[in-house]
Amino acid sequence: MGLQGDVGTHLWLTRGMAARVGVSLDAVLHEGTLTRADFAGMVTRCRGCSQPVDCLAFQTAGGALCAEPPEYCANRALLAELQDLG
């Protein structure tokens, strides 16, 4: 595994990406749909991403919710699953 980004930064990028596509991580954690271990895995995958600047730009672009995360998002598949449950 290569270098990973700062935990705090990627925690917020993970939460922000979920919010941008209409997934409330707080809600799915509270419901038990997503475990704390699942969430930790999301942050770890995000930390391995080479495009955090692009991710931040995507999240701050404004406008309506996006139908899906960008192709490069390491949590794309899991976020899509969570969207389908919502």
Side-chain angles (χ1 to χ4, degrees), residues 12-84:
W12 289 108
L13 287 174
T14 299
R15 293 181 68 79
M17 183 62 74
R20 186 76 168 103
V21 298
V23 173
S24 169
L25 290 178
D26 290 337
V28 295
L29 282 163
H30 179 74
E31 295 163 358
T33 305
L34 188 73
T35 67
R36 288 180 181 212
D38 294 332
F39 179 59
M42 291 178 75
V43 174
T44 299
R45 281 188 296 281
C46 182
R47 288 180 66 206
C49 178
S50 64
Q51 295 181 256
V53 173
D54 295 331
C55 181
L56 184 58
F58 175 81
Q59 292 180 34
T60 58
L65 293 177
C66 293
E68 57 189 23
E71 292 286 331
Y72 59 79
C73 180
N75 291 306
R76 181 181 170 89
L78 181 54
L79 287 171
E81 289 178 33
L82 293 171
Q83 282 178 305
D84 290 343

